[in-house]
Amino acid sequence: MRKLENSELGRKSIEDFKQSDKTPIILILDDIRSLNNIGSVFRTADAFLIEKIYLCGITATPPNKEIHKTALGATETVDWEYSENVLKVIEDLKTEGVAVLAIEQVENAVFLQDFEVEKGKKYALVFGNEVFGVSQEAVAICNGCIEIPQLGTKHSLNISVSAGIVVWDLFKKMNWSK
């Protein structure tokens, strides 16, 4: 095996990215404190051609030097919008027919491996604060909740890790499921 050179990776230009068909997934980051987490989520969103990111509450917005360190330019490609009120974003998306799902440990959550995507459906995924998670108010108005199974002692993943796991799983199910 030979490691590929950067020139062999087929990277899109910013313009090509913006004109590409997007994966019908929207990410909602609510009250995220870590600028590194925010930047990492932007990079994941870029990698999987995610439609949009909503930055809500105390979540910082680009341009920001610390976000840029981990986003590595993804803030220039991925469409994003700031909204102070996550509940309004959720309600507005639901009104548009988007299925809004909290990524959280709650009663009757669907485990990620059991979640089935509906062909032609657009999904919004809500990720909450690093300490407190998705607020109960937001959970209560979502269409449902997905839980990432965890078997160790912590039962807590970094927000950017959670976003990467869930986005990859849904992307895979949308594009390669039978």
Side-chain angles (χ1 to χ4, degrees), residues 83-95 141:
S83 177
E84 185 176 343
N85 188 334
V86 70
L87 301 178
K88 180 172 177 2
V89 170
I90 292 169
E91 290 291 1
D92 288 349
L93 289 171
K94 285 173 58 179
T95 299
I141 64 170

Side-chain angles (χ1 to χ4, degrees), residues 119-151:
K119 198 150 191 81
K121 188 82 171 165
K122 185 181 294 188
Y123 295 92
L125 309 173
V126 183
F127 296 90
N129 179 272
E130 291 91 342
V131 175
F132 304 109
V134 179
S135 72
Q136 181 59 53
E137 294 81 11
V139 166
I141 64 170
C142 284
N143 297 107
C145 293
I146 294 176
E147 181 176 340
I148 301 169
Q150 298 170 59
L151 306 176

Side-chain angles (χ1 to χ4, degrees), residues 12-20 22 38-39 41-47 49-53 55 61-65 67-81:
K12 294 181 183 309
S13 69
I14 292 173
E15 188 59 35
D16 288 341
F17 182 96
K18 291 190 177 289
Q19 291 181 9
S20 295
K22 301 298 185 290
I38 298 164
V41 171
F42 266 95
R43 258 175 82 192
T44 296
D46 178 276
L49 287 170
I50 297 305
E51 186 173 304
K52 186 172 189 171
I53 299 175
L55 306 169
T61 62
N64 181 296
K65 181 179 168 186
I67 292 173
H68 182 73
K69 278 184 186 179
T70 49
L72 294 178
T75 58
E76 303 301 316
T77 55
V78 179
D79 189 24
W80 65 271
E81 181 178 332

Side-chain angles (χ1 to χ4, degrees), residues 108-122:
N108 302 313
V110 175
F111 281 114
L112 181 59
Q113 72 271 19
D114 298 325
F115 181 78
E116 295 181 20
V117 297
E118 189 178 321
K119 198 150 191 81
K121 188 82 171 165
K122 185 181 294 188

